[in-house]
Amino acid sequence: MDQPTALRGATVPASAQSPWLLEVEDLHVHFVTTRGVVRAVEGISYKVRPGETVALVGESGCGKSVSALAIMRLLARPAGRIVAGRILFQGRNLLDLPEDEMREIRGRDIAMIFQEPMTSLNPVLTIGFQIMEPLLIHLNLTEEAARARAVELLKMVGIPDPERRLDQYPHQFSGGMRQRVMIAIALSCNPRLIIADEPTTALDVTIQAQILKLMKDLSRDLGIAMVIITHNLGIVARYANRVNVMYAARLAEQGSAADVFAKPLHPYTAGLLRSVPRLDQPRGLKLETIEGLPPNLLDPPPGCRFAPRCLARQDACVAQVPEIVQVEPHRYSACIRAREMAQVGPAGLQLQSANPQPPVRKALDKAQPLMKVHDLKTYFEVGAGVRLFKSAHLEVRAVDGLSFEVFRGETVGLVGESGCGKTTVGRTLLRLEEATAGEMVFEGANVTRAGGQQLKDYRRKIQVIFQDPFSSLNPRMTIGQIIAEPMRVYRLVADRGAARARVAELLTQVGLFEYMAERYPHELSGGQRQRVGIARALAMQPSFIVCDEPVSALDVSIQAQIINLLEELQAKFKLTFLFIAHDLAVVRHISDRVIVMYLGRVMEVADRDTLYAEPLHPYTKALLDAVPIPDPEIEAKREHRVLGGEVPSPLNPPQGCVFHTRCPLASEECKMAIPELREVRPRHFAACIKV
Amino acid sequence: MKRLSVLLMVAATLAVSAGGAYAQKRGGELRFAVSAEPPDYDCHAATSFAFIHPVRPHYNTLLKFDEPKYPAVKGDLAESWTVSKDGLTYTFKLRRGVKFHDGSPFSSADVKATYERIANPPEGVRSIRKAAYADIAAIETPDANTVVFRLKQPNASMLTNFASPWDCIYSAAKLKEDPKFPLRNVLGTGPFRFVEHAAGSHWVGRRFEDYHVKGRPYLDGFRAIFIRDTSARVTALQAGEVLAEFRGQSPADRDKLVKALGDKIEVHESPWVCSLVVTFNTERKPFDDARVRRALSIAVDRWQGAKALSKIAIVRHVGGLLRPGYELAAAEKDLVQYPGYGRDIKKSRAEARRLLKEAGVPNLKFKLLNRNVPMPYTHVGVFVIDQWRQIGVQVEHELPETRAYISNLRGGNYDAGMDFNCDAVDDPNLQLAKYISADRSPINYGRYNDRKLDALYDQQKGELNPAKRAAILREFERHALNEGYTFPTIWWHRIIVHWKEMKGWYMSPSHYINQDLQDVWLDR
Amino acid sequence: MLRYTIHRILLMIPTLLGVAVLVFVLLRLMPGDIVELRFLAEGGQVSPEVIAAERTRLGLDKPMWRQFGDWMTGIFVGDFGISMWTGRPVVDEIASRLELSMQVALMATVFAIVLAIPLGTLSALYKDSWIDQVIRLFAIAGLAVPSFWLGMVIILVLLLNFNWIPPLTYTPIYEDPWTNLSQLIWPAIAVGYRYSAVATRMMRSTILDVLQEDYIRTARAKGVFERLVVARHAMRNAMLPVVTVIGLEFAFLIGGLVVTEQVFNLNGIGKLFVETVTRADYTMVQALVMLVATFFILVNFVVDLLYAALDPRIRYR
């Protein structure tokens, strides 16, 4: 019975009766938990044509991944249950199939790519075996045939030297390479449909661009339909034909990508589009956010799920659940004011300001820098156990010759891909790592090797906000205790009562409520936890805060809230930030000056507007190119030069310019010497001999 | 008169063997359990029953105890013997045709070499019981079958000494080659040849076909199995994996085995030549005061205690310094006259309180050092402490490991100690050694010297007339108990349980004797 | 790999030296010694001269540092000494017992693995079902019941129902496999039960963890048969912590079966351990402690090598 499958062509749609490859109709998924039933998906319907790319967009917890897993019938058992709906695949209802027939469809007709390439491959099995496995199971190929096919697949996804790499294990592959392997596995049996669940979220921008391009090309060449699940509107704009916006287990809006971005017909979509800092538009005074939090699906609000956060809310919105209806041709929205919105646009419903205010220029006192870092080097020794054998000892130059100045009230952005050393910079400034060489001068005093009372004073004035708001808060302490602890250690408060009052004050300042002091971290949402992290940093009345990826773990709407909060606090308390992030748009929004790092070295330093408008270094240019912009029109016009290759191992960095292995401009000269960071234009430095 | 008794003894032996001859069967391997294991093979350096049980069947001694008539002795390698009137010359006629297991003939030279090794060990040879033979002046061998011991002074215990199970007769030739030969080799004239000792596991002996007693041994061989764990030992006995264990069982295990096996087993019980004694460190106050010691001795209700403790522990008998039932021991009518043996305990306790008050320690507090071995040390320790509580004395029970216990006791690092007096045979010389002056006795841990006791000890030792010797012993006992340096609590009680199919073994008050297995047979 | 092995072996030296110092000192902290114990424990009337001579013979009268030095130099030239109790070489005393201990340990390990891997896996796969409940009960009971107690129960059951107990003395398996097994199978079960319970619980929890992993979801999404998902994708990953548990338990069994060996009257290292400690046979105790310590280190090393074999991410240089 596998014969027809094996012989099946790559492009001919199999379904005769329906033009749709996949039809999801009124899907309802529940999760039974000890605390009650979570209605994770409620009445989702969408369709996918053969060969097209459909996006499911929404914030975490909105049910987009669950609905995809429901198609595969891979919901976590026994908690996850499909309680209603139909999923027609080539006209057959997948929900009616016996488990074994469903299993035959998985991996053969419908393949899936997951978010975490680092953990989605089995660490103890060879790459080759993992690619060959579906071929052996579904297509009954012989070992040799399967191996030949695996080599072909690896070539197709752009992995060099496939023969040799088949016998390697996942840990010998980088994240991007692993995602290519996942794609190879997905492609192995020539599926009709690939469901990609956040396929590039865990990857660096340049790699993200590579992977998305690969998927898009393959889907086009092989005629495979794709369902892309993402929170990244830029990706949708760049790759999707049609888009489904989800909010709190329900569909908010449907339509072609171009239409939805140009003219959102649901206040939530409009809000999402506004919340994202963009590279293609000048920054406004502040980000326009969606206030509040998504509802708890254990106990959702009556009526429109978005109503509590909606600026265009009317009484009717709360009264009943709005049906998703056709508003315009091929446009569907679940907002009762959608037609109105179609007429007057989001600004007409007071969802956004018509004319964004320009930012206020900061007046900085440039007489003396608050922090001056000169030729900072932080090296790590990587040795195997006791150093009995000298040669077993290696060195990673995590930060290699970094110099910059930060003035009071300024925000310096530090961008780069993973492994570029940006986090080490932060840790070195915080004196959590010892600098190998160079100096750090803070308020005129050299703190590079400071100890005792001087170090203590320094540590009070320099604070940190971490990326992961959950793991950086002690789960066994209340919020109040967490915030008060450093104040008590440093005796900044007289007694328990004073500490309590100060905690209440701080909580209010970061937009939380006093009563939350009694809560534990797990009772708060991600955004609230990050606010607690900020309050804890503020408690010390610092002058300098290292923000290490403070918003990258947060959803778009929450991210905007936190960015706005940081900016407010900066103005209010005259704070100075070192803002470490990989998201170029966020960095652009918040920073005054930006440092671009690559493999431990500075590539380019410039004022924000100069850097983004006229990048000099080829790496900066490549980075900016790689970021998808949430506007299909712009994306359609942009030329996508994808930066090839991967970040080399920091254990063995390239000779000369560390970027030369991937640089489009590289020549023999670049391998000769490490280029100096030089002032190409006034206040604009670049480390490239070609500019 | 001596000669007559010897003749009578020989006749009795013949009668026993003749009387039983119709039923005895040859063959079979006797399997028995031993709770410990011989570290090496030299009889003269050994002290443990765990040595006797597997090793004794390989050897003969000059004399041995007449099993059913203990403590009477009979010849083993000696055919007959005479003792001179003055008690200074012992002449032994040896059996003819006796061979060692290697085929070499046995002669008087072997006896001489053996006893010289015991009395005057050469460099590097340990002789534990050297002191018992200190009275020997010379050993002569007029011919191959005669050996003569000449003593410096009379010793009433000499015949008992010659029957000691430890005095294995070794080959003179081998000793000449290497005085330490017996340490690693088993070569005797006994009923069983040595086959194997698997360290930690078992010991095997096979019948010596050239054994000098015709028709003996009955057994083809024996196998001693070392089983350290008490319950494992009882289980092995119950399962019939072993037919006997020759040290002794607790009353509870006896009852358990009787219940499980009914008439398949035999139970033998006897007073045991072992007692637990309380010793005071007389170098510490207030134990230098005889009144305090006596008060603590008379406060113990031995009669009631014996009755109660016998149900749970291997103690049962009230006695003086010698084992109750031994011919030289005090009879009950004498016993009740001694301090601490009166039947009226109320009176005794009142007296004890008075003595303590007199001595100025009415609210005495001290520690009792005891051995961390439950049976019977802990039981008796708890009992004694409770007795003392009843006269208002508070005592803390200290139970260190055996090693630390012995070290503290010997080193004088204690107030009062639960000591034990346990010997291979009934013999005043052995049992009273605990009580004589510390500068004469290695086992007096009370650290006192009492010349009166020493004089009485020497006197009884040289007294060959049993009745006169008994009288001296009574005086010794009375003085020792009045002083109360060391006083006996309750004597042990030996319980042996063995399968009925094992025959020809005789119970005795000592777990060190009657173990040559010469006459044991299996009724299968 | 070779270099790693040499490295590990060199690292053993300071560890073992530390163990040696510790055991040497601890043994001598307690008052009393083997000589008093040997001659006085059963009431012999032994003269102080004999005791002093014996102490001299055993070298106990030398200063501590000399005794330690003699011991160390002995080890250095491969002479582990003479048992103070039996006078036989320590190596012979241990060798005659090691075979039995190794066999019991191996059998218990096999027993534990054979039970734990399938039971732990089943329990995880049918989490919260009656199968899981039964297996968990089995495992909890295994943890709660001491091995020696189970051993006593086994013996009593055999004795009361069949009027039979396992042989009391050891027969090597190559001489008479039947007798050998009829003696050693019971202690192996008694010990292996607890051992398998530990491993079952470990297997269950790691399988549960592994089943949550993304690569399991990937395997399912590939259309892999469910039993292959478990057998091929989950179990090998789940084995890592289980291997550690098994390794450490195995090392423990050599020398750790102090009570169980007594209950079954096994002439093994554990029983030897108790006997030599109670006898204060310093040379024996020292040698045994060193043996067990070395064994622990070696087993740890083997576990690390197994890790490398099971998990390609781990490579030793």
Side-chain angles (χ1 to χ4, degrees), chain C residues 77-135:
Chain C
V77 297
D79 172 12
F80 290 86
I82 303 281
S83 162
M84 291 182 168
W85 186 260
T86 67
R88 278 189 293 266
V90 163
V91 175
D92 295 357
E93 293 282 356
I94 292 176
S96 68
R97 278 123 169 142
L98 196 58
E99 185 180 305
L100 180 144
S101 282
M102 286 291 259
Q103 196 190 337
V104 173
L106 279 173
M107 282 168 66
T109 305
V110 169
F111 180 82
I113 292 173
V114 165
L115 273 186
I117 290 178
L119 287 184
T121 309
L122 271 180
S123 185
L125 291 182
Y126 296 97
K127 183 170 179 277
D128 297 333
S129 72
W130 67 268
I131 297 177
D132 183 31
Q133 305 287 356
V134 169
I135 294 174

Side-chain angles (χ1 to χ4, degrees), chain B residues 154-213:
Chain B
N155 185 332
S157 298
M158 215 55 211
L159 277 182
T160 306
N161 282 339
F162 287 126
S164 161
W166 304 111
D167 297 354
C168 304
I169 303 296
Y170 294 147
S171 153
K174 294 289 178 195
L175 289 183
K176 203 176 165 199
E177 276 171 37
D178 176 10
K180 290 195 214 165
F181 176 79
L183 202 65
R184 292 265 152 260
N185 300 278
V186 181
L187 179 69
T189 56
F192 295 90
R193 275 184 301 113
F194 172 72
V195 175
E196 148 181 56
H197 171 210
S201 175
H202 59 272
W203 183 294
V204 182
R206 283 274 159 278
R207 177 197 290 132
F208 178 39
E209 298 295 350
D210 282 343
Y211 190 54
H212 63 271
V213 181

